[in-house]
mmCIF file of all heavy atoms in Angstrom:
data_model
loop_
_atom_site.group_PDB
_atom_site.id
_atom_site.type_symbol
_atom_site.label_atom_id
_atom_site.label_comp_id
_atom_site.label_asym_id
_atom_site.label_seq_id
_atom_site.Cartn_x
_atom_site.Cartn_y
_atom_site.Cartn_z
ATOM 1 N N VAL A 120 -48.794 -17.746 103.328
ATOM 2 C CA VAL A 120 -48.944 -16.347 102.945
ATOM 3 C C VAL A 120 -49.725 -15.582 104.016
ATOM 4 O O VAL A 120 -49.376 -14.458 104.396
ATOM 5 C CB VAL A 120 -49.653 -16.240 101.577
ATOM 6 C CG1 VAL A 120 -49.913 -14.784 101.219
ATOM 7 C CG2 VAL A 120 -48.823 -16.910 100.493
ATOM 8 N N GLU A 121 -50.778 -16.215 104.523
ATOM 9 C CA GLU A 121 -51.578 -15.574 105.567
ATOM 10 C C GLU A 121 -50.786 -15.459 106.866
ATOM 11 O O GLU A 121 -50.910 -14.472 107.600
ATOM 12 C CB GLU A 121 -52.865 -16.370 105.790
ATOM 13 C CG GLU A 121 -53.846 -15.684 106.714
ATOM 14 C CD GLU A 121 -55.173 -16.410 106.783
ATOM 15 O OE1 GLU A 121 -55.410 -17.301 105.930
ATOM 16 O OE2 GLU A 121 -55.969 -16.105 107.683
ATOM 17 N N VAL A 122 -49.963 -16.461 107.169
ATOM 18 C CA VAL A 122 -49.125 -16.404 108.363
ATOM 19 C C VAL A 122 -48.160 -15.227 108.274
ATOM 20 O O VAL A 122 -47.975 -14.472 109.236
ATOM 21 C CB VAL A 122 -48.362 -17.738 108.552
ATOM 22 C CG1 VAL A 122 -47.321 -17.605 109.649
ATOM 23 C CG2 VAL A 122 -49.332 -18.858 108.891
ATOM 24 N N LYS A 123 -47.555 -15.040 107.097
ATOM 25 C CA LYS A 123 -46.645 -13.901 106.916
ATOM 26 C C LYS A 123 -47.385 -12.576 107.049
ATOM 27 O O LYS A 123 -46.867 -11.618 107.629
ATOM 28 C CB LYS A 123 -45.973 -13.992 105.545
ATOM 29 C CG LYS A 123 -44.959 -15.115 105.422
ATOM 30 C CD LYS A 123 -44.308 -15.105 104.040
ATOM 31 C CE LYS A 123 -43.258 -16.213 103.917
ATOM 32 N NZ LYS A 123 -42.636 -16.232 102.586
ATOM 33 N N ALA A 124 -48.614 -12.531 106.526
ATOM 34 C CA ALA A 124 -49.395 -11.305 106.636
ATOM 35 C C ALA A 124 -49.708 -10.983 108.100
ATOM 36 O O ALA A 124 -49.653 -9.821 108.523
ATOM 37 C CB ALA A 124 -50.682 -11.431 105.827
ATOM 38 N N CYS A 125 -50.011 -12.025 108.892
ATOM 39 C CA CYS A 125 -50.289 -11.816 110.322
ATOM 40 C C CYS A 125 -49.039 -11.327 111.054
ATOM 41 O O CYS A 125 -49.109 -10.425 111.902
ATOM 42 C CB CYS A 125 -50.807 -13.105 110.948
ATOM 43 S SG CYS A 125 -52.427 -13.619 110.348
ATOM 44 N N LEU A 126 -47.882 -11.907 110.723
ATOM 45 C CA LEU A 126 -46.640 -11.472 111.355
ATOM 46 C C LEU A 126 -46.326 -10.025 110.995
ATOM 47 O O LEU A 126 -45.885 -9.240 111.840
ATOM 48 C CB LEU A 126 -45.482 -12.388 110.929
ATOM 49 C CG LEU A 126 -45.493 -13.805 111.526
ATOM 50 C CD1 LEU A 126 -44.447 -14.674 110.835
ATOM 51 C CD2 LEU A 126 -45.221 -13.766 113.027
ATOM 52 N N ARG A 127 -46.556 -9.672 109.743
ATOM 53 C CA ARG A 127 -46.314 -8.291 109.322
ATOM 54 C C ARG A 127 -47.262 -7.331 110.037
ATOM 55 O O ARG A 127 -46.876 -6.233 110.439
ATOM 56 C CB ARG A 127 -46.494 -8.171 107.809
ATOM 57 C CG ARG A 127 -46.197 -6.775 107.269
ATOM 58 C CD ARG A 127 -46.391 -6.677 105.778
ATOM 59 N NE ARG A 127 -45.319 -7.328 105.052
ATOM 60 C CZ ARG A 127 -45.465 -8.449 104.366
ATOM 61 N NH1 ARG A 127 -46.653 -9.040 104.327
ATOM 62 N NH2 ARG A 127 -44.455 -8.980 103.719
ATOM 63 N N ALA A 128 -48.512 -7.760 110.212
ATOM 64 C CA ALA A 128 -49.476 -6.911 110.902
ATOM 65 C C ALA A 128 -49.092 -6.697 112.363
ATOM 66 O O ALA A 128 -49.368 -5.639 112.944
ATOM 67 C CB ALA A 128 -50.871 -7.521 110.809
ATOM 68 N N LEU A 129 -48.442 -7.681 112.961
ATOM 69 C CA LEU A 129 -48.024 -7.570 114.355
ATOM 70 C C LEU A 129 -46.689 -6.854 114.512
ATOM 71 O O LEU A 129 -46.199 -6.684 115.630
ATOM 72 C CB LEU A 129 -47.931 -8.965 114.990
ATOM 73 C CG LEU A 129 -49.261 -9.705 115.165
ATOM 74 C CD1 LEU A 129 -49.011 -11.137 115.605
ATOM 75 C CD2 LEU A 129 -50.136 -8.991 116.186
ATOM 76 N N GLY A 130 -46.073 -6.485 113.397
ATOM 77 C CA GLY A 130 -44.793 -5.799 113.455
ATOM 78 C C GLY A 130 -43.615 -6.721 113.677
ATOM 79 O O GLY A 130 -42.554 -6.278 114.113
ATOM 80 N N GLU A 131 -43.785 -8.007 113.376
ATOM 81 C CA GLU A 131 -42.716 -8.981 113.546
ATOM 82 C C GLU A 131 -42.101 -9.318 112.185
ATOM 83 O O GLU A 131 -42.739 -9.140 111.146
ATOM 84 C CB GLU A 131 -43.262 -10.262 114.193
ATOM 85 C CG GLU A 131 -43.829 -10.054 115.588
ATOM 86 C CD GLU A 131 -42.744 -9.788 116.615
ATOM 87 O OE1 GLU A 131 -41.592 -10.198 116.360
ATOM 88 O OE2 GLU A 131 -43.045 -9.174 117.652
#
Side-chain angles (χ1 to χ4, degrees):
V120 175
E121 188 173 347
V122 171
K123 290 182 179 179
C125 293
L126 288 170
R127 183 180 286 110
L129 293 172
E131 298 289 336

